[in-house]
Amino acid sequence: MRVAVWRLGGATWTKRMKTETCRINGLEYNTLAKKAHCILVFYFAEKAHFILLSCLPEHELEFGLSLFPNDGSESLRDANNEIVDDAENPGERNSEGVGIRMDLSDDLLHLIFSFLGQKDLCRAGVTCKQWRSASVHDDFWKCLKFENTRISLQNFVNICRRYPSVTELNLNGVINAEMLVLEAIVFLRHLKTLTMGKGQLGGPFFQALSECPLLTALTVNDASLGSGIQEATIKHGGLRELHIFKCRALRISVRCSQLQILSLRRTGMAHVSLNCPQLLELDFQSCHKLSDNAIRQAATACPLLAKLDMSSCSCVTDETLRDIGNSCPSLSALDASNCPNISFESVKLPMLVDLRLLSCEGITSASMVAIAYSRLLEALQLDNCSLLTSVSLDLPHLKNMSLVHLRKFAELNLRSPVLSYIKVSRCSVLHRVSITSTTLQKLVLQKQESLSSLSLQCHNLIDVDLSDCESLTNAICEVFSDGGGCPKLRSLILDNCESLSIVELNSSSLVCLSLAGCRSMTCLRLSCPNLQHVNLDGCDHLKNAAFCPVGLESLNLGICPKLSILCIEAPNMSIMELKGCGVLSEASINCPRLTSLDASFCRQLVDDSLTCMTGACPLIEHLILSSCLSIGIDGLSSLHCLHKLTLLDLSYTFLINLKPIFDSCPQLKVLKLSACKYLSDSSLDALYREGALPLLVELDLSYSPIEQNAIEGLLACCSNLVNVNFNGCTNFQELVCESGDSGSVDMPVDSCPPSSPIKNEEISEQPGRLLEVLNCTGCPNIKKVVIPLIANFSHLSKINLNLSTNLKEVDLTCSNLLTLNLSNCSSLEVLKLDCPRLTNLQLLACTMLQEEELESAISLCCALEVLNVHSCPKINALDFGRLRLVYPSLKRIQSSLIS
């Protein structure tokens, strides 16, 4: 049983076809066999449906042209072209064989078939009688495309007889195509377009074209024309277009009174004769055998000629151009590229609009006089003219110009009010450019190593790219400043202009500026109130920078190791990064909307500069002064102006007294004091004894010298802390929490938790701590960590004790702990866990931990998903399979025993 499925108007329809075999063209096919396939996709109404049906394998089809009878009847024929009658073959097929109907209206089927090509139409025609009738409709056979197809003479003649309304015929690559046309020409009275290719086309073929009075376009590709020494004569009264491409002939004569377009591109012929009074376009490209005289005679015989292409005709001379100019006054487009004998001197083409002179070795600066005579010129290409040294043109209509790879080209002076595009590239000695235009919007002069002088009068110029112009001097800044000739300039790229030392720009229109790689620049002064983006990457020698005023919303100075003086006035700036400006000592920053300032590694930034910043930027929320070694008490006291400051980073500084911070920043939420090696315990007393910084939620004291008592006090009394970092604190010896009461600072470190049980209801009533993350990585002297239930760390979700090599005992009762990292705790022996929500336990390289201790520890961790015991030599016989059965939540075990 076979089922066909199609969609119509969004509904899905199916039809079961009982036939399992069918006989087509004398061949029996099993409809379920792999060699036959049937695909139906329908195009209906506005839905993007189309049909593609194939019931024959590709190699059996042979384009399927013999499937249609030659006499117009609808009887099928077998491979021997004999009629197959259903009545005479009742035993070979059942009643629902080839004649299955698909219940589609004729109009709908016609619409669907209109999307098919001829090959698919032939395939569809053998499916059923209704489809065969629809597929042979005249509407589908007006364009016969038999390119590179095998077709018999009789079959082709029959098709042309059956469809006399054919308007387009393509026989390119068809064997004996000339014979096919000669035999069927009487049936092609309505033919308009004919394409031939390959093989031989003699005189009878071209004579027979007169039988097609409506023929308007003829294309011949890669064929031999004529016979022997006879010329190929093409004569037709109605032909409009003639394309002869890459053909071979001794002589070609074209006599077509209505011909308008003639192309003989890449055709090898020694002589050509034209009698085409209406010819408008003539193409002789790469006709290497044509002489200068032959080209001259052919072109001058066409008085209405408007477009001429004779590129790569090496014999053409200036004399020919002059004669063509005199005989063809309407010539508007000329391509004489790759013509080495042309200098264009004394050539006058007043109506010329498009001129291409690529790779013309004779073109010099003297040729510009003749080119300037063509006042209507709109497009000019002079690429690869190796002797051209300068161009000076004043052309009122010039729109496009190309100057590429001119080895001796040194000077450009161009005036054109409508110039919209100019390409200048690979002109290694070009040193002076002057352009005047009212419409030019983009100018690209990349990698002009010798360019030192640039003059622009371009009132609508928006984008300029002068990347890698190594010889540009400081005077270029005047060109792009207000009053310099580019009043609408928005984007300027001066990347890698290594001769620039002082850049001063005063532009009210400039929005984007890039000075990346300008390594010689020492001074930058920008007065660009609309400037939004600036790139200073690689400006290693910049010492003095002023942005007053600019419209920047953010500024990243990258790494400017020599920048010492900075002045910024930016009313819209919100983010500023000065990290890497190691010698910055004077900074005047006036940015009233600034919210984030990163001055990391500004080692010479002094208190006076910081005081000025805070006074002029009262909205700062994040202030990073990491490694600012010159900041002292006066500078920190000025932070009282920053009423919205929530993050302060003073890591890697020489701070001793934190009182100015406690007094000036009561609203602080994040305080980073990492590696402040001069901090003492007393400097932190105000935090846990006096309640300073009541809103503080994150504290980083990594690698600081604080003592055990200060750590205990912070954890006991600062109950609002959420994230605490004690990484690398060498004085941290043990963490033993006994009570959630923050009223007591002195915590006994040697006492054990009370033995009497405490109810969960009683714990929940006690004031809890908000701590969520505790990082103690690399604390070499910590030996014991005990957090009992009574400590009330109900929010603690992550503890990191990685690389604490002397840690021996861990006892945790944390109801919400999710992640515990004890990796590289090589002395760990005692592990007790009551953490019902723990999902990730890292014990990498815990060399002293016993197998029994681990099993006991994880017995109360019913949510454990990841367990890492890699490089734990004493955990080598643990039955991981049993663990997975006991703890079904365990998804991943990392161990040296598991490959």
Side-chain angles (χ1 to χ4, degrees):
M1 186 72 66
R2 184 173 53 161
V3 179
V5 181
W6 64 90
R7 292 181 62 84
L8 290 176
T12 301
W13 300 79
T14 63
K15 184 176 181 66
R16 297 188 180 274
M17 291 175 272
K18 298 180 181 179
T19 303
E20 293 187 1
T21 61
C22 59
R23 189 174 184 84
I24 300 174
N25 228 31
L27 299 176
E28 186 175 278
Y29 289 90
N30 186 339
T31 57
L32 302 179
K34 292 183 179 179
K35 65 185 298 185
H37 56 281
C38 183
I39 303 173
L40 294 173
V41 185
F42 285 85
Y43 181 94
F44 183 72
E46 296 180 355
K47 306 293 183 181
H49 300 139
F50 63 94
I51 178 170
L52 178 58
L53 174 77
S54 176
C55 288
L56 285 175
E58 188 75 19
H59 67 279
E60 296 285 353
L61 192 61
E62 293 187 2
F63 202 72
L65 295 174
S66 63
L67 295 175
F68 298 132
N70 298 326
D71 57 359
S73 65
E74 296 193 3
S75 299
L76 287 176
R77 295 176 180 266
D78 60 15
N80 297 319
N81 208 30
E82 297 179 357
I83 297 177
V84 179
D85 189 1
D86 294 348
E88 295 176 359
N89 301 280
E92 297 184 13
R93 298 172 295 174
N94 60 27
S95 60
E96 295 187 72
V98 177
I100 298 174
R101 293 184 60 84
M102 291 299 177
D103 297 334
L104 295 175
S105 68
D106 292 340
D107 291 340
L108 176 59
L109 202 60
H110 187 89
L111 174 63
I112 294 171
F113 279 14
S114 66
F115 293 92
L116 298 183
Q118 291 166 354
K119 186 178 294 186
D120 292 326
L121 284 171
C122 293
R123 292 172 174 171
V126 300
T127 304
C128 63
K129 291 181 180 180
Q130 182 193 17
W131 286 30
R132 180 170 68 245
S133 176
S135 65
V136 298
H137 196 281
D138 287 354
D139 289 348
F140 307 142
W141 298 90
K142 290 184 179 180
C143 298
L144 302 181
K145 299 180 181 180
F146 301 139
E147 186 173 4
N148 298 317
T149 303
R150 287 189 305 165
I151 180 172
S152 66
L153 175 62
Q154 185 62 35
N155 199 14
F156 179 74
V157 173
N158 290 334
I159 291 174
C160 293
R161 180 188 294 114
R162 177 162 185 160
Y163 301 106
S165 59
V166 170
T167 60
E168 181 179 345
L169 176 61
N170 188 339
L171 294 174
N172 186 29
V174 177
I175 300 175
N176 298 324
E178 180 183 19
M179 183 182 300
L180 297 180
V181 173
L182 291 177
E183 291 294 329
I185 195 71
V186 295
F187 305 113
L188 299 174
R189 303 285 296 177
H190 295 87
L191 190 64
K192 295 181 179 180
T193 302
L194 175 61
T195 301
M196 307 288 288
K198 301 181 181 178
Q200 180 79 29
L201 297 178
F205 167 78
F206 294 108
Q207 294 174 6
L209 294 180
S210 60
E211 298 291 334
C212 304
L214 300 181
L215 186 66
T216 59
L218 173 62
T219 301
V220 182
N221 297 317
D222 195 15
S224 297
L225 308 183
S227 56
I229 61 174
Q230 297 181 357
E231 71 176 11
T233 301
I234 304 173
K235 183 178 181 180
H236 194 284
L239 202 62
R240 298 290 194 278
E241 297 183 21
L242 176 59
H243 301 273
I244 300 177
F245 175 73
K246 202 179 179 181
C247 293
R248 298 161 295 281
L250 180 64
R251 180 184 177 91
I252 295 179
S253 177
V254 182
R255 301 176 181 178
C256 302
S257 57
Q258 301 299 319
L259 192 66
Q260 296 180 350
I261 300 175
L262 172 61
S263 175
L264 298 171
R265 180 173 296 195
R266 299 183 64 184
T267 295
M269 65 219 166
H271 304 281
V272 61
S273 175
L274 300 183
N275 184 4
C276 309
Q278 302 297 321
L279 194 66
L280 301 177
E281 299 182 14
L282 178 60
D283 188 351
F284 282 136
Q285 184 186 110
S286 300
C287 294
H288 302 294
K289 293 184 179 181
L290 275 182
S291 64
D292 182 39
N293 186 53
I295 293 175
R296 182 188 311 135
Q297 291 180 356
T300 55
C302 306
L304 301 181
L305 194 64
K307 183 177 181 180
L308 174 61
D309 186 347
M310 51 183 182
S311 57
S312 300
C313 295
S314 56
C315 57
V316 175
T317 62
D318 286 338
E319 182 180 355
T320 295
L321 289 179
R322 284 192 287 269
D323 288 349
I324 292 174
N326 293 331
S327 302
C328 307
S330 300
L331 188 65
S332 60
L334 174 63
D335 189 346
S337 302
N338 296 292
C339 296
N341 297 322
I342 288 179
S343 66
F344 218 76
E345 296 182 16
S346 303
V347 176
K348 296 183 178 180
L349 299 171
M351 303 302 293
L352 203 60
V353 174
D354 188 351
L355 176 60
R356 301 182 182 183
L357 297 174
L358 290 76
S359 301
C360 292
E361 299 177 358
I363 297 297
T364 63
S365 300
S367 307
M368 299 302 107
V369 178
I371 293 177
Y373 184 81
S374 303
R375 301 289 291 173
L376 299 180
L377 197 63
E378 296 181 1
L380 176 61
Q381 296 186 33
L382 298 172
D383 300 349
N384 298 295
C385 294
S386 56
L387 298 180
L388 186 62
T389 59
S390 65
V391 171
S392 181
L393 293 173
D394 186 355
L395 297 172
H397 299 282
L398 187 65
K399 297 179 180 178
N400 302 317
M401 187 173 188
S402 179
L403 300 164
V404 178
H405 196 201
L406 304 177
R407 293 178 297 174
K408 298 184 178 181
F409 186 54
E411 185 174 346
L412 171 62
N413 187 355
L414 183 61
R415 293 176 60 88
S416 174
V418 297
L419 183 69
S420 59
Y421 174 80
I422 180 170
K423 182 178 181 180
V424 181
S425 176
R426 300 171 63 189
C427 300
S428 56
V429 299
L430 179 64
H431 67 270
R432 186 178 182 276
V433 173
S434 177
I435 299 177
T436 301
S437 170
T438 57
T439 58
L440 185 65
Q441 294 186 346
K442 184 173 183 178
L443 177 63
V444 178
L445 296 174
Q446 295 178 346
K447 296 184 179 181
Q448 304 303 319
E449 296 88 349
S450 301
L451 184 63
S452 58
S453 176
L454 179 63
S455 175
L456 298 176
Q457 292 296 324
C458 305
H459 297 292
N460 287 295
L461 190 62
I462 295 175
D463 299 327
V464 175
D465 189 347
L466 298 173
S467 300
D468 299 289
C469 294
E470 300 174 356
S471 300
L472 280 178
T473 63
N474 298 334
I476 193 67
C477 299
E478 300 178 2
V479 177
F480 301 116
S481 295
D482 289 343
C486 305
K488 296 184 179 180
L489 185 67
R490 293 177 58 85
S491 175
L492 175 61
I493 301 177
L494 295 171
D495 293 350
N496 302 308
C497 296
E498 298 188 356
S499 295
L500 295 178
S501 60
I502 299 176
V503 176
E504 297 186 18
L505 289 173
N506 181 4
S507 172
S508 58
S509 61
L510 193 63
V511 174
C512 300
L513 173 65
S514 180
L515 294 164
C518 295
R519 302 186 182 278
S520 300
M521 184 173 61
T522 59
C523 182
L524 174 64
R525 297 189 182 94
L526 300 179
S527 180
C528 308
N530 292 310
L531 187 66
Q532 297 290 329
H533 305 282
V534 62
N535 185 358
L536 299 174
D537 291 345
C539 298
D540 301 337
H541 294 81
L542 184 63
K543 297 180 180 179
N544 190 328
F547 302 82
C548 301
V550 292
L552 293 170
E553 295 182 358
S554 64
L555 175 63
N556 186 349
L557 289 179
I559 299 177
C560 298
K562 296 186 178 182
L563 183 65
S564 60
I565 302 176
L566 175 65
C567 181
I568 300 178
E569 181 182 339
N572 298 322
M573 186 174 295
S574 60
I575 300 175
M576 184 185 305
E577 293 190 15
L578 305 177
K579 55 186 177 183
C581 301
V583 297
L584 183 63
S585 58
E586 298 181 25
S588 175
I589 299 177
N590 184 7
C591 304
R593 296 185 181 180
L594 190 67
T595 60
S596 177
L597 173 61
D598 187 349
S600 301
F601 304 102
C602 294
R603 299 178 181 272
Q604 297 186 19
L605 189 65
V606 296
D607 290 345
D608 291 343
S609 297
L610 181 59
T611 301
C612 293
M613 288 183 200
T614 57
C617 311
L619 301 181
I620 291 180
E621 298 176 5
H622 296 173
L623 179 60
I624 302 177
L625 299 174
S626 176
S627 296
C628 294
L629 305 181
S630 300
I631 297 296
I633 295 178
D634 294 340
L636 295 178
S637 299
S638 67
L639 299 183
H640 72 276
C641 299
L642 306 180
H643 301 294
K644 294 187 177 183
L645 185 64
T646 58
L647 183 150
L648 178 61
D649 188 349
L650 294 169
S651 301
Y652 297 92
T653 58
F654 297 155
L655 288 180
I656 299 176
N657 186 1
L658 297 179
K659 190 176 186 303
I661 299 175
F662 299 150
D663 295 340
S664 304
C665 311
Q667 73 285 353
L668 206 60
K669 294 182 179 180
V670 179
L671 178 60
K672 297 185 179 183
L673 301 171
S674 178
C676 293
K677 58 183 180 180
Y678 294 108
L679 280 180
S680 62
D681 287 358
S682 60
S683 60
L684 296 170
D685 285 351
L687 274 179
Y688 60 89
R689 292 183 184 275
E690 303 173 8
L693 306 183
L695 300 180
L696 192 68
V697 296
E698 181 176 343
L699 177 63
D700 188 353
L701 291 168
S702 301
Y703 307 101
S704 63
I706 60 173
E707 300 290 339
Q708 176 74 24
N709 290 335
I711 295 175
E712 294 174 355
L714 289 171
L715 292 177
C717 301
C718 298
S719 58
N720 289 329
L721 284 177
V722 174
N723 191 330
V724 178
N725 295 326
F726 294 126
N727 301 322
C729 291
T730 57
N731 296 324
F732 194 5
Q733 297 177 2
E734 60 182 17
L735 174 59
V736 179
C737 303
E738 289 192 354
S739 172
D741 184 7
S742 60
S744 176
V745 174
D746 298 326
M747 297 174 57
V749 297
D750 295 328
S751 60
C752 298
S755 58
S756 59
I758 300 177
K759 297 181 180 180
N760 290 336
E761 293 79 359
E762 297 177 359
I763 297 299
S764 61
E765 291 175 359
Q766 297 178 7
R769 299 184 175 91
L770 300 180
L771 186 65
E772 296 180 6
V773 179
L774 176 61
N775 288 318
C776 301
T777 300
C779 295
N781 297 317
I782 190 171
K783 298 179 180 179
K784 184 177 181 181
V785 176
V786 177
I787 303 179
L789 181 62
I790 194 174
N792 203 13
F793 280 97
S794 58
H795 295 85
L796 189 59
S797 62
K798 180 178 179 181
I799 299 178
N800 191 350
L801 293 164
N802 183 26
L803 293 170
S804 298
T805 54
N806 287 315
L807 181 62
K808 294 183 178 181
E809 179 182 351
V810 175
D811 186 351
L812 303 177
T813 303
C814 301
S815 59
N816 287 307
L817 189 65
L818 301 177
T819 302
L820 175 61
N821 189 351
L822 297 171
S823 297
N824 300 291
C825 295
S826 54
S827 300
L828 183 63
E829 296 179 354
V830 179
L831 179 60
K832 298 179 181 180
L833 301 177
D834 186 359
C835 307
R837 295 186 181 180
L838 185 67
T839 60
N840 191 328
L841 177 58
Q842 297 291 323
L843 297 171
L844 173 68
C846 291
T847 56
M848 299 299 293
L849 188 63
Q850 298 286 340
E851 183 176 315
E852 296 79 8
E853 190 71 19
L854 174 61
E855 283 197 69
S856 175
I858 64 175
S859 62
L860 297 178
C861 303
C862 54
L864 189 63
E865 296 180 0
V866 179
L867 174 62
N868 186 356
V869 290
H870 198 282
S871 301
C872 296
K874 295 188 178 183
I875 304 176
N876 52 13
L878 195 62
D879 189 347
F880 297 115
R882 180 174 55 83
L883 282 180
R884 285 193 171 93
L885 291 176
V886 176
Y887 305 104
S889 61
L890 197 57
K891 298 178 180 178
R892 182 180 181 185
I893 300 177
Q894 296 173 284
S895 171
S896 306
L897 303 177
I898 301 178
S899 58

